[in-house]
Amino acid sequence: MSTLLQVNDLKVAYGGIHAVKGINLEVKQGELVALIGANGAGKTTTLKTLMGMVKPAGGDILFDGQSTSKLAPHEYVSNGLVMVPEGRGIFSRLTVEENLQMGAYSRNDKAEIAHDLERVYYLFPRLKERQKQLAGTLSGGEQQMVAIGRAMLSRPKLLLLDEPSMGLAPIIVQKIFEIIKMIAAEGVTMLLVEQNAKLALQTANRGYVMESGRITYSDDAAALLANEKVQQAYLGE
Ligand SMILES: Nc1ncnc2c1ncn2[C@@H]1O[C@H](COP(=O)(O)OP(=O)(O)O)[C@@H](O)[C@H]1O
Ligand SMILES: [Mg+2]
């Protein structure tokens, strides 16, 4: 498997606050990698830095073999780096379908976009039933589906998911994770940030544990699930 994302000694600071203190991380083509850790560990900062929304204080990021440091903001998505942000970031006054179409704004292959839209509706039949509904009137789980569907319409090479389970009822969380597995099975590479560590590691191939800006464990997801220290700190066992 070739390496799609390579992060070397990445450091990020907000003024005097060192949020990310020199992390190394990689995601190979086709992998589903979980990044877990407590609130404030630096997970969102890491994802935002991968998307160019926060500038690193040190280290480098290689995506598809190329440094991302020279990319203009709009080039991230057109290069295949796509994020579903914490809190979803959907447009509440637009319809479901308009929100999904926003994901394809940098594309002009109309027939392919129509095909991808059908694929999203196949993955999310609930959204097909609600195509014309204003996104702001959807339930939290449905809004998360819109956010993931919109990202799919950008044709991601690497999909970054920030806390997709946040604020959702357990049964809806299960549903969202089933969809994440289906997307992974279609060959989309993903980096999944979650506070629901157990579910994330049960879903992922590999995982990283982040604590106070550092990676403290990295291993196959099954090995992390079996690791006593990880169990005590993150799995409630
Ligand atoms: N915009 C910001 N300005 C200043 N500090 C920030 C900002 N965003 C995050 N932080 C701080 O950086 C650290 C990591 O935050 P974050 O990346 O959001 O963690 P996580 O996603 O793991 O909960 C925290 O101490 C947080 O308070
Ligand atoms: Mg976060």
Side-chain angles (χ1 to χ4, degrees), residues 48-82:
K48 284 185 174 169
T49 310
L50 294 177
M51 290 301 296
M53 296 159 69
V54 175
K55 290 289 162 225
D60 46 47
I61 299 166
L62 297 175
F63 179 63
D64 230 352
Q66 304 228 300
S67 169
T68 60
S69 63
K70 297 269 170 4
L71 290 180
H74 67 275
E75 290 177 317
Y76 284 81
V77 172
S78 53
N79 275 272
L81 251 173
V82 180

Side-chain angles (χ1 to χ4, degrees), residues 20-164:
V20 176
K21 301 168 184 165
I23 64 167
N24 298 303
L25 185 153
E26 69 170 14
V27 180
K28 296 197 178 79
Q29 193 78 48
E31 275 191 314
L32 171 44
V33 174
L35 175 61
I36 64 168
N39 203 5
K43 305 179 300 298
T44 295
T45 299
T46 300
L47 293 191
K48 284 185 174 169
T49 310
L50 294 177
M51 290 301 296
M53 296 159 69
V54 175
K55 290 289 162 225
D60 46 47
I61 299 166
L62 297 175
F63 179 63
D64 230 352
Q66 304 228 300
S67 169
T68 60
S69 63
K70 297 269 170 4
L71 290 180
H74 67 275
E75 290 177 317
Y76 284 81
V77 172
S78 53
N79 275 272
L81 251 173
V82 180
M83 176 162 74
V84 177
E86 200 171 2
R88 292 143 205 160
I90 60 161
F91 301 97
S92 47
R93 286 159 183 259
L94 298 183
T95 65
V96 166
E97 182 134 324
E98 286 164 345
N99 267 278
L100 294 174
Q101 297 276 11
M102 294 290 284
Y105 80 96
S106 70
R107 299 172 55 184
N108 43 32
D109 47 341
K110 269 197 169 164
E112 291 289 298
I113 292 169
H115 171 269
D116 288 355
L117 190 60
E118 280 316 307
R119 177 164 151 252
V120 167
Y121 284 142
Y122 168 76
L123 282 172
F124 304 101
R126 288 180 83 88
L127 297 187
K128 190 171 174 78
E129 293 162 14
R130 291 165 174 76
Q131 290 176 49
K132 303 280 183 278
Q133 190 172 325
L134 293 183
T137 64
L138 297 172
S139 71
E142 290 161 358
Q143 290 187 358
Q144 186 60 258
M145 292 175 193
V146 170
I148 294 173
R150 185 180 58 190
M152 296 301 290
L153 275 158
S154 304
R155 289 237 168 144
K157 283 187 192 155
L158 177 62
L159 183 58
L160 309 174
L161 293 164
D162 197 356
E163 307 262 10

Side-chain angles (χ1 to χ4, degrees), residues 192-207:
L192 169 65
V193 161
E194 262 297 336
Q195 275 194 61
N196 190 333
K198 192 168 195 173
L199 197 50
L201 292 175
Q202 284 169 343
T203 309
N205 306 113
R206 285 193 307 115

